Each structure stands twice: as structure tokens, then as C-alpha cells.
Amino acid sequence: MSPLDNGGTPHVHHSAAGALDALLGRPGEEHGAFRPADLAGLDEREEFPAAACGVLDAFGLNDHYVPAAFGGELRDYTDLMQLLRTVARRDLTVAVAHGKTFLGAAPVWVAGGADQAAALGALIADGAVVSWGLTERAHGSDLLAGELSATPENGGWRLNGEKWLINNATRGGFICVLARTDPAGGPRGFSLFLVDKRGLAADAYSCPPKIPTHGIRGADISGIAFHDALIPGSALVGEVGTGIETVLKALQLTRTASTALSLGAGDTALRLGVDYARNRRLYGRTLGDLPRVRRIIGEVYAAQLLAEATGLVAARSVHALPGEMSVVSAVAKALIPDLAQNVLDRVAELLGVRSFLTQEYADGLFAKLERDHRVVAIFDGNTAVNRNALIDQFPLLAAAYRRGRCDEAGVTAATSLSVPSTEFTAGGLSLLAMRGSSLMQSLPAAVARIAEQAERGLLPRQVVVLAEEVEAAADALHTEFAELRRTPQDVPPTAFVLAERYELCFAATACLQLWLNNPQPAGDAQSPTIWRNALWLQATLRTALTRLGSPLEEAGAEAYDRLAEHAFGPAVPTLRSTLDGSTSDGFTSDASPLDGATSGSSTPDGATSDRATSSSSTSDGATSDGSIPDDSTTDDSTPDGETAGSTS
Amino acid sequence: MSSPIIEKNNQDHSPEELTGWLKERIAEHVQLPAAEIDPDVPLANYGLDSLYALTVVTEIEEHLGLTLEPTVMWDAPTLNALVEVIRAELAHAA
Ligand SMILES: Cc1cc2nc3c(=O)[nH]c(=O)nc-3n(C[C@H](O)[C@H](O)[C@H](O)COP(=O)(O)OP(=O)(O)OC[C@H]3O[C@@H](n4cnc5c(N)ncnc54)[C@H](O)[C@@H]3O)c2cc1C
């Protein structure tokens, strides 16, 4: 756990993610185990990134997979998300390989006994790798079809059957396995077991050879087959028959955490796109000077901010609105990988031929990223499965929205980034959001507050127009929910379109509430932040509305162009990094700068400062209706977050 | 534990009345005539998917103004078992 940066200078980091970011190094100055060219080489040879995982072990990342109640450092799921995002920015294979231990252990945090959880916590702190076995060869998402069986015997259990396509099944020492304990199956017919492979007889299990994959090629994707394997009674997690329930609850945590992979991938894609636009010269000017290219950068940046807003609110909801995570986690896991994929696709278009080169440009980082990211929308519940989880709750969501049910304190806590999260206890999780989604149901009140801010001159009028459009879309959507005809067996395809629209309305509401519940770091006249004149809010709302099918007019697209100016600074600001310093608890920049040690950055300084200067003089001050005084967006004492921005 | 009382709550729910109402609801979900639903046969046999069954619970809640565990239909998988759980809850709430 040594928070030393590459130069060996001790730093005090407000957050674990900041410390990790400094340890792993900024682009061009990466830690020795995280050099893109080396990681690309491992990928090509399908070799496991052992050195990089070793660095994360030494950092103590494992401690953050273990809740404080069980001896670890996990107190806030947003911190876990930011840590995994920090790793994912460098390499998705490493993030997937290392982070899997959190996924494998999550069922024990949810349903395990206190002693069992504390014992697992100690093992993980010690470096144990835990995998999670749900999927079988013949059965993907359909957990209730699982055939691997556990039969009671002398106080213990005998396992028979195979789990297949399992991350870390071969290298991991432990695996949390979902097993059929009632031959008849059914929702009470399965139980979970934490299997310690070290305790098994040598012939009691076997792992198939590594399964070659399109992306994350170095990861240990294999499986495990049990042959009459005898495990002790103490391996049972929770009660017999609660396996499905526990898995569904644990997935609410892991699906939320997994979105960090997409956030990190999007961060890096955006950085590569900006670097390219800044440095590529065509027709005597840089690519970034072409209006169309700036528009693309702005659109991509806005999509990334929308994803980040959704992710941050989802992670905070684990603490603030645990009973609603069946909705929140499904929204996050369906929408965020989708947005990130869109970011990757747009950047690929921008990079042109360079997105296609596996070594020549930026060490092939982009081509690898694009391959690696595809898995995020597939594993831990694919997009269709998450949308289906939302569809199952449409009747609830419609009723709750109609009645305006809302846990206001929960919404405030989920969106106030500077307020420490309360302790999470798994007892608050529920298989259904019986009261709907408070965040979604807070939309009408949020729009009213936005209108009021505009009345007081605190916001450009266009934001109100956008917010009202979101509200109209949400109203119409919830009416359609109530009208949808379906049976348990047959979900009409249109329902999936409605689910997607729900995700977008949810994400837009998350943005509105983040705007309302956080101090607005306006920066100064020289370097305004993306908060000024609610610029990021305009751009993210516009993005959500465009995806909801609302036509985009040229005037509305200006927000993208103004947002793009911010992307060309020394670092692309994130919501988290712009709020840097607004609190002391760790909501600091997710990527602390190396105290001026910027030499050797992959970006020529000249281009950076030129762009920064021109942007501050041309953008943001003016809004199209001209009604906003320069200092209208109240500043607090927040230091300028932009210069402390992330390396991504 | 406070669940808003939505439709009606202050009248006696006889087992017959409850069974009849639930049978109608479930029959509608699985698109079968109510008469074909045997109260002692697991509802899953009629195609009531176990995850979907969770949401049927919310209809029961709304109708009766009760708070039930989402998994109640997993633990009481037939119509008769379900009616028994609901009656116990109603008695408890009274
Ligand atoms: C690299 C990698 C690592 C993995 N790691 C693990 C692991 O560690 N542990 C583990 O247990 N599993 C793991 N998996 C397996 C993965 O989680 C499953 O493959 C995945 O959840 C879904 O299964 P499937 O893709 O086989 O699709 P299926 O579930 O068979 O679905 C097939 C198709 O039907 C669609 N579909 C599915 N359900 C619905 C629905 N309800 N409504 C509409 N459409 C639907 C899907 O979108 C898909 O297009 C891993 C997979 C990969 C590729």
C-alpha cells in the first residue's frame, strides 16, 4: 500500500483511486508493468498479465473488494467503481482479471455468515483469487436451468457437474458456485457454495484448457468440472435454497461495479480521440480545428459524461437506495456499456485507419480496447437480461411514477457527491423495487427546481426546455408501461425499446439531480469548468434526448461544440475531477496530477496550452439567449478542478 | 412496513373470495381460463415464471394493502399455499 508515484515522491492522496492512478502513471509514463506495448504483447500471445495484477496486489486493491465490516477497506461503492475505472483506463484485461475477485466474493458479502465473510475477507486481503461460477455450457442467462448439483453427505456436500466460461476458474483458489440442491429445481432449488479448491482431492475437479476469446485475450477464461467432489458443510453460503435469491442480490452490486469497466474504456477512447484530433495535421491545420471533428469530440464527451453520471449515481444508490437496486443496477448495466460502445465507435470513426492498426498507433491501444470492451455488455448479465429485469418491473414503475412516490432523502444522498455515503448493509437489498425508482419519480420535482433556478438567473433558459422535454418523455413512457400487454412467457420486442427509453430518462434525471445537489465549481474567467452555465448538463440532457428520438437542431448542438473546448485542455475533465476539492472525504480528482512533473507527457505542451487559451476566450461566457451574467453560476471555494483533471 | 392502502382493506377477505380473486389474476397472467387453475398445483406448472411471479406479488400488495416479501410465491408456490400466507398476514395486520 505505498502511495508513491513513479518518481518516488510521497503523496497524500484524498482517495484510493487517486493514489492508484498516480502509481500506475499517466499516459506515456506508465508504471513498468502497465506499458501499453507490453500489455499489447501479452494480449497477442494470450498471456495472463501477471505482473500488472501483482502491482495491484501490492497496492492493496484486494482490500477494497472486502467490506469494512469483514475487515477490508470497502466503505463506499463509488470508491470501488473509481478504482476499477482507474485500472480499466490502462487495460481491460487486467481490470477484468483482478476485479473478478469482488464479483466472486459478493454473494458471501450478501448472504454469508459473519465468520465465513470475515474468513474470506482475510483470505482476499492475503491475495486470494475468487471466481464466480454461474454459467454452464448448455445454459447461459437461464440460471434456473443449471445442472451442476450438490448432494448432502455426512454433513458435507458432493458436487457434480461443470461451470463453463468462468473467469479465473483455473488460476483462482476459490470459486463461489451455484448448485442445484433440489433435483426438481425451481427458485428455491439452488444453493451457493464457496469452494476452496485447495481442500479438494486432486481428482475431484478438473479445469478445461483456456478458452480463446476475441477480446481480453490474456484473461484466464476457462471452466471447472467437479467429479464427486466432497466439500465441507461450512462451504454453504446462506441457507439451503437461497442460492438464486442471493445471486440476484449480489448481481445488483456486481453489475453496478462492472460499469466501471465501461467508464474506464470510455475515458481512454475519449483521450485517444482528443490526442489524435489535437496532433493530426491535415490541410495545414489540426484535425481538431475542423468544426465537424470538434462536434464529434463534443458529442462523444457528452455521452461519456452521461455514462459517468449514471455510474456515480448507481454506485451511491447502493448506500442511499438499496431497496431500489433491482432497477438501478439494471439501468446502469444496460445503459453504460451501450454508451461506452457508442463512444468507442465514434472515436474509431475519428481515428480512421489508426483504429485499425494493432501496433503502429499508440501501441495498438485503441484496437485492443475495442476488442476488450465487447465483453462488458455480455458478462454478468447481458444487456437483454438487464432490460428484461426492468421490463418485469414495469407495472411497479408505472404505479410508483403515477403516485409520485419518492424517498427524497435517498435521492439527495445518492446524488450529493460530497456527502460521505452511509454504511451499506445487504439486508436493504430487495429482489424488486417495491416502491419503484425514487430517482425516476423525483423527475417532476427536479424539473420544477431547475425552472426556479432559471427564473433566478442561475441557469440558461435552454436547460429548462431540455428538462421539460425529458419529463414529457418520461410521462409518455410510464403511460406506455401501463398499456403494455405481455405474458410471463412472451415479452413483446417493443418492451425492450421501452426499457432503453427508461434508462435514458433515468440517466437524464441523474444529471438533473447531480446538478441540483452539488456545489457548482465555476472555475474562473480564464478557465471556466464544464459546470459553468450548466454546460455539461445541457450536453448530457441533449444526448439523452437525441437517443430518445428528439430531433437535434443546430442551436441545440452548440453545447457540444462548447463542451469540446474543455476536452482539449491538459486533461479531459470528468464530473468527479471537476468536483475535486469540494470535500475532504475522498471525492477528489480520480487522477491526481503529479505535482508539475509533466515532462514527457505524450502530448506536446504547445498544442495543449494553445488550445486551452483559445478555448477560455471563446467559449461558455455567452449563452444563446445572453441572459446569464458572467458570474451567474455561483462559485464556491472549490479550486479549479480542470487543471487537476484526470489523465484520461 | 407502512404500505399505502390502495384499493380496499377494511372488509373481510374470506378464503373463497381471496382464492377467487387470485385465481382470476393468475389466470389472466398465464392466459388460461380460471377454471383450469388447480389450487394445489404449483403455479410454475402453468408457466408462471419464477422471476415474473415476483411482480404478481405487488398486485396482491396493492389489492390488499399488505406488505409481502417479494419471494412469497417462491415459498408458497400453489394458490392454496399463497392464500394461507396472505390470510395469516391479514390476521397479523388486523
Ligand atoms: C469473457 C467471458 C467471461 C465470463 N466470465 C464468467 C464468469 O466468471 N462466471 C460466469 O458464471 N459466467 C461467465 N461468463 C458467461 C456469461 O456471463 C454468459 O455467457 C452470459 O451471461 C450470457 O449467456 P450467453 O451469452 O451464453 O447468452 P444466452 O443467455 O444463452 O442468450 C443468448 C441470446 O439470447 C438473448 N437473451 C437472453 N436472455 C434474454 C431475455 N430474457 N430476453 C431477451 N433476450 C435474451 C441474449 O441477449 C443473447 O443474445 C463469461 C463470459 C465471457 C465471454
Side-chain angles (χ1 to χ4, degrees):
Chain A
M1 255 289 197
S2 122
L4 296 183
D5 74 338
N6 280 340
T9 324
H11 277 275
V12 179
H13 294 284
H14 295 292
S15 69
L20 181 61
D21 196 70
L23 173 71
L24 302 186
R26 44 174 57 204
E29 305 172 335
E30 291 90 356
H31 186 288
F34 277 84
R35 286 195 205 100
D38 297 344
L39 290 166
L42 290 173
D43 189 64
E44 199 182 329
R45 299 190 300 277
E46 303 188 328
E47 276 176 39
F48 188 79
C53 285
V55 169
L56 301 180
D57 284 345
F59 172 82
L61 186 53
N62 270 10
D63 294 339
H64 295 272
Y65 302 153
V66 181
F70 305 127
E73 295 286 331
L74 175 53
R75 291 180 181 83
D76 186 330
Y77 277 82
T78 328
D79 292 342
L80 176 60
M81 175 176 278
Q82 292 295 103
L83 283 162
L84 292 175
R85 177 181 181 179
T86 301
V87 179
R89 277 178 190 158
R90 273 75 180 188
D91 190 82
L92 277 174
T93 309
V94 177
V96 167
H98 203 275
K100 189 71 201 191
T101 289
F102 168 71
L103 277 66
V108 178
W109 309 150
V110 166
D115 291 346
Q116 186 183 38
L120 182 63
L123 287 161
I124 291 174
D126 218 36
V129 171
V130 186
S131 51
W132 196 6
L134 303 176
T135 309
E136 299 183 4
R137 249 178 235 266
H139 314 288
S141 311
D142 188 2
L143 296 178
L144 289 164
E147 293 174 64
L148 186 149
S149 67
T151 325
E153 185 174 310
N154 298 331
W157 299 83
R158 276 218 190 267
L159 297 184
N160 274 296
E162 186 197 40
K163 293 292 174 183
W164 180 81
L165 270 192
I166 307 303
N167 185 5
N168 290 333
T170 301
R171 63 182 277 271
F174 298 81
I175 179 166
C176 202
V177 182
L178 182 68
R180 185 179 281 249
T181 39
D182 177 349
R188 288 293 188 216
F190 292 80
S191 308
L192 270 170
F193 298 91
L194 178 63
V195 179
D196 181 346
K197 283 164 67 185
R198 300 167 310 181
L200 297 180
D203 58 356
Y205 76 97
S206 55
C207 295
K210 173 176 161 54
I211 299 156
T213 47
H214 172 69
I216 60 165
R217 293 159 50 106
D220 164 21
I221 307 299
S222 52
I224 186 165
F226 297 100
H227 320 288
D228 262 334
L230 189 62
I231 55 169
S234 59
L236 180 69
V237 178
E239 304 289 318
V240 173
T242 58
I244 295 289
E245 185 173 356
T246 301
V247 165
L248 291 176
K249 287 180 178 173
L251 283 168
Q252 295 175 12
L253 302 177
T254 60
R255 286 175 177 166
T256 303
S258 299
T259 63
L261 301 170
S262 288
L263 294 180
D267 286 337
T268 296
L270 179 57
R271 175 178 69 77
L272 290 172
V274 168
D275 279 354
Y276 184 63
R278 175 156 48 207
N279 297 323
R280 178 78 175 164
R281 293 196 72 83
L282 275 181
Y283 321 115
R285 49 186 184 169
T286 69
L287 204 53
D289 288 325
L290 300 175
R292 176 170 175 278
V293 170
R294 299 182 80 74
R295 175 69 56 85
I296 292 173
I297 294 284
E299 286 173 350
V300 165
Y301 186 10
Q304 177 65 10
L305 289 169
L306 185 64
E308 184 189 20
T310 311
L312 291 175
V313 171
R316 289 188 65 87
S317 296
V318 168
H319 303 266
L321 297 162
E324 302 181 4
M325 287 308 292
S326 60
V327 169
V328 178
S329 64
V331 164
K333 182 65 172 54
L335 179 66
I336 296 172
D338 209 14
L339 287 171
Q341 197 59 51
N342 181 253
V343 166
L344 288 163
D345 292 347
R346 302 295 310 276
V347 171
E349 192 188 323
L350 192 67
L351 292 180
V353 71
R354 276 150 197 82
S355 69
F356 212 66
L357 304 179
T358 56
Q359 290 173 11
E360 281 298 315
Y361 184 72
D363 301 309
L365 188 56
F366 187 84
K368 178 175 186 302
L369 187 63
E370 214 186 11
R371 275 187 291 110
D372 290 351
H373 184 259
R374 301 215 167 260
V375 77
V376 183
I378 295 174
F379 74 5
D380 213 40
N382 63 35
T383 306
V385 164
N386 282 291
R387 295 208 161 124
N388 203 81
L390 286 176
I391 293 164
D392 280 343
Q393 299 181 80
F394 280 176
L396 286 179
L397 295 172
Y401 189 81
R402 195 172 61 241
R403 298 200 184 100
R405 278 176 175 166
C406 181
D407 173 350
E408 281 175 37
V411 172
T412 305
T415 53
S416 305
L417 299 185
S418 55
V419 179
S421 288
T422 52
E423 192 188 339
F424 163 72
T425 48
L429 296 175
S430 172
L431 295 188
L432 283 184
M434 299 298 244
R435 307 271 172 268
S437 160
S438 291
L439 185 89
M440 190 71 252
Q441 290 135 222
S442 78
L443 175 60
V447 175
R449 281 179 66 198
I450 290 285
E452 193 190 306
Q453 284 201 355
E455 289 293 312
R456 286 166 39 214
L458 297 172
L459 264 179
R461 178 71 211 156
Q462 315 77 295
V463 181
V464 183
V465 177
L466 295 171
E468 285 172 346
E469 233 188 290
V470 172
E471 189 180 353
D475 287 352
L477 177 65
H478 285 86
T479 309
E480 288 184 60
F481 283 172
E483 288 162 1
L484 189 75
R485 287 287 155 259
R486 64 162 290 195
T487 68
Q489 303 305 314
D490 290 304
V491 182
T494 48
F496 287 84
V497 180
L498 298 185
E500 196 175 345
R501 280 164 55 196
Y502 186 83
E503 294 152 23
L504 291 162
C505 290
F506 182 102
T509 309
C511 291
L512 289 167
Q513 290 289 5
L514 283 171
W515 170 264
L516 291 168
N517 290 321
N518 291 282
Q520 296 145 27
D524 54 40
Q526 287 307 304
S527 53
T529 78
I530 56 173
W531 289 74
R532 182 137 164 149
N533 287 332
L535 178 59
W536 74 262
L537 181 61
Q538 291 187 54
T540 51
L541 293 180
R542 192 59 259 170
T543 302
L545 284 167
T546 302
R547 291 176 76 99
L548 281 163
S550 147
L552 175 65
E553 278 137 33
E554 187 53 30
E558 269 171 26
Y560 293 133
D561 300 343
R562 284 185 284 130
L563 188 67
E565 305 278 348
H566 293 264
F568 287 96
V572 183
T574 63
L575 287 177
R576 271 287 289 255
S577 73
T578 49
L579 287 169
D580 182 23
S582 59
T583 173
S584 56
D585 86 308
F587 284 99
T588 53
S589 161
D590 41 2
S592 304
L594 300 179
D595 287 355
T598 53
S599 61
S601 154
S602 61
T603 315
D605 282 349
T608 308
S609 49
D610 277 345
R611 182 57 62 204
T613 313
S614 79
S615 76
S616 61
S617 59
T618 57
S619 69
D620 284 330
T623 61
S624 59
D625 67 359
S627 65
I628 307 300
D630 269 350
D631 56 352
S632 62
T633 336
T634 49
D635 193 2
D636 65 353
S637 57
T638 310
D640 176 16
E642 238 172 326
T643 53
S646 71
T647 54
S648 62
Chain B
M1 284 297 285
S2 77
S3 170
I5 289 148
I6 311 307
E7 287 183 29
K8 53 174 177 170
N9 188 16
N10 49 357
Q11 60 201 79
D12 258 356
H13 294 285
S14 68
E16 293 73 31
E17 197 190 42
L18 261 181
T19 308
W21 177 77
L22 262 175
K23 201 185 255 192
E24 290 288 341
R25 294 305 309 128
I26 286 160
E28 194 177 319
H29 281 295
V30 299
Q31 301 198 312
L32 281 175
E36 280 184 30
I37 306 229
D38 181 332
D40 288 314
V41 167
L43 295 169
N45 291 16
Y46 299 109
L48 196 67
D49 172 82
S50 27
L51 297 183
Y52 184 83
L54 296 173
T55 63
V56 177
V57 173
T58 56
E59 283 182 27
I60 304 174
E61 286 204 330
E62 302 237 325
H63 183 68
L64 302 172
L66 271 182
T67 302
L68 297 168
E69 279 297 312
T71 50
V72 64
M73 291 180 77
W74 293 5
D75 298 317
T78 64
L79 200 64
N80 274 343
L82 194 56
V83 167
E84 215 163 292
V85 172
I86 294 170
R87 293 197 65 226
E89 276 299 320
L90 283 171
H92 185 73

